């Protein structure tokens, strides 16, 4: 068997024993450069190092080699004998190629699996995102409908409250005007009593006229007091109505802002312009209510407005009744006083005529 990488030589070149094992002088250089003999195909444990081949090839030939008088050329040069021990075999070469092919195939297979998993993950996330966006659009649609409902209720209630407040202000003005207008008849009645105090002698009598004037003055004062109190109650009710109106307007303003924001979000698409990503905004929870308390807040505002409107209606009815009763009472006392004055004037005129007739006789 020949060494791997050597060529077959003719028989006239001599035996291979003298070529493969030349006589070397027992020098230290020969012992240092001598390499151990290994069978073909054997791999040195350090043959994987690429620099070993260059180190072995760069070893200079021994100068103490004797000249071969037979003239036969060695099959492998002594300096290159160690390099044959570091070479791979054909089996190793094929095995290395197969390993590389298998590694390449496995890498390509893993890359394909990764691409497939990536595409499947992209599709799953895209489908999940689409479904979540559809759920968000449905929730936004329901939210917008709820906001529109409560906004319409607030607008209607606010209009009704404004009408009641305006009517209540008109009633207040009427009460204040009626109370101020009673000041004139009261002064007349008091003036009449003052002038009647100028009577002398037996004519300074406490008659029906004086009683009617005193009652009329008291009635005017009582009516003024009643109307003034009603006006004060209406003023307080107007203040409460303004507070309720402010609450309704604030709630309506919040509903309008929420409606505008939700409408903007509802019309937003993936291809919309000016879409920014705000890091961590999905974790922020600054809400002050939940849908139940949110609806209850508007419902409470509407109920309070309805209650105050009912109170306003009661005050209007009470004011109308007070004005009517005050007008009737004042009118009745006015008629009574005038009738008493007429009777008294007739009595005084009759007495005067009798006195004048008696005086004429005297």
């Amino acid at each position: 068997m020949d060494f791997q990488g050597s060529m077959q030589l003719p028989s006239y070149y001599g035996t291979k024993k003298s070529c493969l094992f030349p006589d070397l002088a027992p020098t230290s250089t020969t012992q240092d450069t001598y390499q151990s003999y290994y069978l073909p195909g054997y791999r040195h444990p350090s043959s994987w190092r690429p620099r070993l081949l260059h180190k072995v090839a760069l070893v200079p030939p021994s100068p103490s080699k004797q000249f071969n008088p037979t003239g036969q050329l060695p099959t492998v040069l002594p300096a290159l004998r160690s390099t044959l021990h570091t070479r791979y075999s054909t089996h190793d070469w094929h095995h290395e190629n197969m390993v590389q092919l298998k590694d390449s195939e496995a890498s390509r297979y893993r890359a394909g699996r990764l691409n497939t998993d990536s595409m499947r993950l992209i599709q799953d996330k895209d489908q999940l995102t689409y479904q979540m966006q559809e759920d968000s659009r449905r929730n936004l649609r329901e939210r917008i409908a709820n906001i529109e409902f409560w906004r319409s209720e607030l607008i209607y209630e606010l209009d009704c409250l404004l009408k009641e407040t305006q009517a209540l202000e008109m009633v207040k003005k009427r009460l204040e005007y009626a109370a101020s207008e009673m000041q004139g008849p009261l002064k007349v009645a008091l003036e009449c009593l003052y002038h009647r105090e100028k009577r002398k002698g037996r004519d300074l009598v406490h008659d029906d006229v004086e009683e009617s004037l005193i009652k009329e003055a008291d009635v005017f004062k009582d009516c003024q007091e009643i109307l003034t109190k009603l006006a004060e109650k209406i003023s307080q009710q107007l203040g409460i109505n303004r507070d309720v109106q402010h609450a309704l307007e604030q709630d309506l303003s919040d509903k309008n802002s929420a409606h505008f924001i939700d409408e903007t979000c509802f019309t937003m698409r993936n291809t919309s312009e000016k879409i920014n990503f705000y890091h961590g905004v999905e974790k922020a929870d600054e809400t002050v209510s939940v849908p139940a308390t949110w609806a209850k807040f508007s419902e409470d505002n509407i109920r309070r407005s309805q209650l105050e409107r009912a109170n306003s209606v009661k005050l209007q009815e009470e004011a109308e009744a007070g004005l009517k009763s005050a007008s009737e009472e004042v009118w009745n006392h006015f008629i009574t006083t005038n009738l008493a004055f007429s009777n008294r004037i007739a009595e005084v005129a009759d007495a005067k005529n009798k006195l004048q007739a008696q005086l004429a006789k005297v």
Side-chain angles (χ1 to χ4, degrees):
M1 179 183 293
D2 296 333
F3 291 102
Q4 185 178 1
S6 63
M7 62 182 180
Q8 189 72 24
L9 298 178
S11 59
Y12 54 81
Y13 275 177
T15 62
K16 298 179 181 179
K17 182 175 181 181
S18 60
C19 295
L20 293 175
F21 303 97
D23 296 333
L24 298 177
T27 60
S28 60
T29 305
T30 305
Q31 293 177 359
D32 293 338
T33 57
Y34 179 77
Q35 299 292 334
S36 301
Y37 175 78
Y38 298 101
L39 293 176
Y42 178 81
R43 297 183 63 182
H44 195 270
S46 60
S47 61
W48 60 273
R49 299 179 182 178
R51 297 180 58 184
L52 180 61
L53 175 62
H54 299 282
K55 289 181 180 179
V56 175
L58 293 177
V59 175
S62 176
S64 60
K65 292 182 179 180
Q66 298 179 358
F67 177 73
N68 188 5
T70 59
Q72 292 182 350
L73 295 177
T75 306
V76 179
L77 297 178
L80 299 180
R81 185 183 298 114
S82 60
T83 61
L84 296 178
H85 302 155
T86 62
R87 291 182 180 178
Y88 295 101
S89 63
T90 306
H91 175 73
D92 295 335
W93 181 77
H94 287 291
H95 178 71
E96 184 67 22
N97 289 337
M98 291 299 297
V99 169
Q100 291 183 359
L101 290 176
K102 290 181 179 179
D103 291 342
S104 176
E105 184 70 19
S107 177
R108 188 178 63 83
Y109 177 74
R110 288 193 298 270
R113 288 289 301 273
L114 183 60
N115 289 332
T116 304
D117 294 341
S118 300
M119 292 300 298
R120 183 168 59 253
L121 180 61
I122 291 173
Q123 293 176 357
D124 293 341
K125 294 300 180 182
D126 185 54
Q127 184 178 3
L128 180 61
T129 302
Y130 177 78
Q131 186 175 0
M132 292 178 65
Q133 287 181 347
E134 289 298 322
D135 294 340
S136 299
R137 285 176 57 82
R138 183 174 63 257
N139 294 333
L140 282 172
R141 190 182 298 109
E142 294 177 357
R143 185 66 175 174
I144 290 172
N146 293 334
I147 292 176
E148 289 178 351
F149 169 76
W150 286 111
R151 188 174 66 170
S152 62
E153 291 291 328
L154 289 171
I155 291 174
Y156 174 77
E157 187 61 31
L158 183 60
D159 292 339
C160 294
L161 182 63
L162 291 175
K163 291 179 181 179
E164 292 295 334
T165 302
Q166 186 177 3
L168 200 61
E169 289 178 351
M170 294 297 297
V171 171
K172 178 185 175 183
K173 290 180 180 180
R174 289 176 59 191
L175 290 173
E176 292 176 349
Y177 181 76
S180 63
E181 286 297 320
M182 286 185 181
Q183 192 68 25
L186 177 59
K187 289 182 178 180
V188 172
L190 294 177
E191 190 73 17
C192 291
L193 289 173
Y194 174 74
H195 285 291
R196 294 194 82 226
E197 290 295 325
K198 297 178 181 180
R199 293 174 296 173
K200 297 179 180 180
R202 292 290 179 179
D203 288 333
L204 191 61
V205 63
H206 183 68
D207 53 2
D208 295 338
V209 176
E210 188 174 358
E211 292 179 358
S212 297
L213 288 173
I214 293 173
K215 288 182 179 180
E216 187 176 0
D218 293 338
V219 168
F220 284 146
K221 290 181 180 179
D222 292 341
C223 290
Q224 276 186 335
E225 185 177 0
I226 291 172
L227 296 179
T228 302
K229 288 182 178 180
L230 284 174
E232 291 177 356
K233 290 177 66 176
I234 290 176
S235 297
Q236 295 177 358
Q237 184 63 38
L238 287 174
I240 296 174
N241 288 357
R242 281 191 291 270
D243 292 340
V244 175
Q245 177 183 350
H246 177 71
L248 290 176
E249 289 176 349
Q250 184 66 36
D251 194 4
L252 182 60
S253 177
D254 295 341
K255 293 294 186 295
N256 290 331
S257 300
H259 186 270
F260 174 75
I261 293 173
D262 289 343
E263 279 286 348
T264 304
C265 295
F266 183 75
T267 56
M268 191 175 295
R269 298 294 184 273
N270 295 331
T271 57
S272 301
E273 297 180 355
K274 297 181 180 179
I275 297 180
N276 297 325
F277 176 75
Y278 300 94
H279 181 71
V281 70
E282 71 280 0
K283 299 180 181 178
D285 187 11
E286 299 180 357
T287 57
V288 296
S289 65
V290 295
T293 57
W294 173 79
K296 188 176 182 299
F297 178 76
S298 299
E299 186 177 359
D300 291 341
N301 288 333
I302 293 174
R303 286 183 178 178
R304 183 184 176 190
S305 176
Q306 291 175 350
L307 178 62
E308 298 305 330
R309 283 198 301 112
N311 294 334
S312 299
V313 171
K314 289 181 181 179
L315 280 177
Q316 291 181 28
E317 294 176 354
E318 186 177 354
E320 291 292 340
L323 286 172
K324 185 178 180 180
S325 62
S327 176
E328 291 178 355
E329 192 171 359
V330 169
W331 182 254
N332 292 332
H333 281 281
F334 174 76
I335 293 174
T336 302
T337 303
N338 287 340
L339 184 58
F341 263 112
S342 300
N343 294 333
R344 186 61 180 171
I345 290 171
E347 290 179 359
V348 171
D350 184 52
K352 179 183 177 182
N353 291 332
K354 289 181 180 179
L355 289 174
Q356 285 180 351
Q358 191 64 29
L359 181 60
K361 290 179 182 181
V362 173

